[in-house]
Structure formats: C-alpha cells, structure tokens
Amino acid sequence: EAISEGRKIASGVYLARDIVNSPHNVLNSLSLADTAQRIASESSGLIECNILEKEDCERLGMGSYLGVARGSETKPKFIHLTYRPRSGNVRTKVGIIGKGLLFDTGGYNIKTSSMHLMKFDCGGAAAVLGAARAIAALAPDGVEANIIVAACENMINDRAVLPGDILTASNGKTIEVENTDAEGRLTMADALVYADKEIGCKKIIELSTLTGACMVALGNKIAGVWAKDESLVDELLRTSSVTAEKLWHMPLEKDYNDLLKSKIADLKNLGGRYGGAITAALFLQHFVGKKTPFAHIDIAGPVWSDKLGATGFGARLVTDWVCRQGTSE
C-alpha cells in the first residue's frame, strides 16, 4: 500500500518537474490549460476542469490579471480544477493557488540577467497541478480542493502594461504598477479574490516563485511561508516535516504596509528596496478576506536546482496538506 501511495505522489511530482522544465516554445498558457484538462480527464471523474477565457475574466472584473496578460503571446487561461471525493462527503472546502507565469521577461522593466531561467516562473502552477494529479489518484475523503492558476506570460508588445499604469482588481482595489517585473502578485490578486469570494474557500494556500528577496534570505533549499493564522502555519510546518520540503515561517510586519502606499491608487505593486519578500506577502493580503485563513508560500529558491533542473518542490506539500484537511475538520 505504501509503495502504491508513493507512486501516486511521484506521478504528481514528475508532472510538476516536466511543466517547469518545458521551454516556452513548448509550454504556454494554451498548453498548460490542455494539461489541466488532461489531469481532469484522467481522474476517473473526481476532478472537474473549468477554463475561464479572457471574456469570462473581463466579466468578473479581473483587471489586475488581465493587465499582465495584455503582453502575452497567447490568450490568458484562468484554470480552475475542482476535486470532490467520490463519496460526496465534503467537510471542508480549500483553495490552492499556483502562480502561472509561463515566461517572465520582466515586461518593460526588463530583466537584465538569467532570463533563460524564467520558464521556472510557473513553478507554483506546476506544484499545484502536480498535486491535483496525485490527489485524484489518492482520492482523499472529506475535502473539496479547488486548484487555481491564472496563466499568462509577462512579455513586451504594443499592448503590454506600462510602469505607472493603474489596474483595478476584481475586489475593486486599484493598483499602481510601479514595476512591471512585480507581475506575479498582480495575477494572483484576482485568483485570490476568486477563491475567496466566488468559490468561498474556507482556507487558502498559494505557492509562487514570487521574489528574489526570499532567495537572498533563505537560499535555494527553503521556502518562506507568511500567514496571520498560526494554526494554518502549524499545519503547513507539520506537512513540511513529513514531505521533507523545508518551510520557514516569515514575519508579516504591518508597518511595512506603508511602503505599498500610492498617491494615486489604493496601493502599489512594489515596496521599497528592503524587505521585498515581506512587502510582496503584505500586498497579497489585500485580496483575501480578513476572516479567511490564508498562507503565502514563496518557493522561488527550492523550485530549481542548477545541477538537476526543476525539483517539483511543493507538489508533495500540497498533496499531503489537502489529504489531511478531510480528516482535520
């Protein structure tokens, strides 16, 4: 039984690695959506796949996500996979969001080094889609899992978002784009609102290759986790100890919110020079209700190994955390 379970989890990890390792001329938002649909079709009916097209996202007011997607080579695809147990017994409903930037040039604030590695900016999406495959295979009872990826690219063209533009997220918050290379948080803002308000998830976790600042702080073996809800942090740290994917609880320093203040919008998408991983986490808090337990996990460091390539980091973590939810309520 343990060997069978291990194989099911490994299949999810291998999918996560394949997604991150794939070059952009192979994997874009269209092919990622196809991958999500294949996960659903192979789930024996346990996973339902819903792909929101650009027009659907416009109706929902997802101006933050669509602002980034304006520069995409391919049309944006907002991916929503829903796992439900065959028994129909659902004690809790959780949301799992993965950052889905299929390639990140930095936009008009263009990256000046290591751009060839920016295919790994979909590492969060890879982790949650890999977990979706493993979850369907393991078929845990008692939990509905909503896996969400706002897929697009951050590219440069005549329609791409510009520094200084103001975007409006689906919760009505206005955002001054101070830097186009702080784009992942813009896509996830609308994904978080969708999980919280549209679906009504009782808990939300989000995985993203969000900041170089987290890599500077924790290196390439440890992911940072930010959350106000201590019980959710405890759950994730316990899961981390089981899956051997290292997490470190990081501070949400409220005073740093001042660094996100804008003169012409509700907030900016970038803080100051220091504490960048913290201000990124604080930015995301603006798109989840105060009563909803929410954890941001920055996996920028451990998602990639210079020796081995994609690691599949996060897929085991999400799988184990979701499986435990059905028995913990």
Side-chain angles (χ1 to χ4, degrees), residues 64-249:
S64 187
Y65 163 49
L66 293 176
V68 177
R70 274 167 26 199
S72 292
E73 177 188 7
T74 54
K75 290 184 178 181
K77 299 287 183 179
F78 191 95
I79 299 165
H80 178 197
L81 295 176
T82 306
Y83 165 82
R84 296 184 181 92
R86 195 177 304 281
S87 68
N89 176 28
V90 174
R91 290 189 286 273
T92 190
K93 181 191 296 187
V94 298
I96 307 102
I97 295 169
K99 177 183 170 184
L101 268 294
L102 281 306
F103 197 86
D104 179 20
T105 67
Y108 278 98
N109 292 108
I110 195 166
K111 294 182 184 293
T112 56
S113 65
S114 301
M115 196 190 291
H116 66 289
L117 292 177
M118 286 303 103
K119 63 182 182 179
F120 79 48
D121 218 16
C122 65
V128 303
L129 291 176
R133 173 189 268 184
I135 290 163
L138 293 168
D141 199 30
V143 60
E144 176 186 304
N146 294 273
I147 295 96
I148 299 165
V149 175
C152 64
E153 300 92 29
N154 186 25
M155 308 286 269
I156 298 172
N157 63 21
D158 58 346
R159 303 181 307 278
V161 68
L162 297 171
D165 282 357
I166 296 177
L167 306 176
T168 304
S170 48
N171 66 345
K173 292 270 187 180
T174 55
I175 307 161
E176 179 185 0
V177 181
E178 188 166 275
N179 189 304
T180 62
D181 197 21
E183 84 299 329
R185 66 200 71 182
L186 296 175
T187 66
M188 290 189 298
D190 284 324
L192 287 167
V193 174
Y194 183 84
D196 189 28
K197 301 300 184 186
E198 293 292 327
I199 303 173
C201 295
K202 303 303 181 186
K203 298 178 186 177
I204 301 171
I205 64 171
E206 166 268 313
L207 288 79
S208 53
T209 50
L210 201 60
T211 67
C214 190
M215 297 174 70
V216 171
L218 297 177
N220 61 2
K221 298 291 186 184
I222 306 170
V225 57
W226 286 259
K228 294 177 182 178
D229 190 284
E230 293 295 330
S231 63
L232 180 54
V233 173
D234 289 343
E235 288 177 11
L236 290 166
L237 292 178
R238 284 196 299 271
T239 290
S240 168
S241 68
V242 171
T243 65
E245 293 170 299
K246 295 180 180 179
L247 298 181
W248 193 261
H249 188 194

Side-chain angles (χ1 to χ4, degrees), residues 51-66:
I51 308 295
L52 275 63
E53 303 294 345
K54 178 185 175 184
E55 296 75 18
D56 302 314
C57 296
E58 287 174 341
R59 282 194 291 273
L60 290 169
M62 295 184 180
S64 187
Y65 163 49
L66 293 176

Side-chain angles (χ1 to χ4, degrees), residues 12-14 16-17 20 123 126-127 245 302-304 309-317:
V13 175
Y14 284 133
R17 293 179 65 184
V20 173
E245 293 170 299
V303 79
W304 184 265
T311 63
F313 187 97
R316 297 194 306 276
L317 184 84

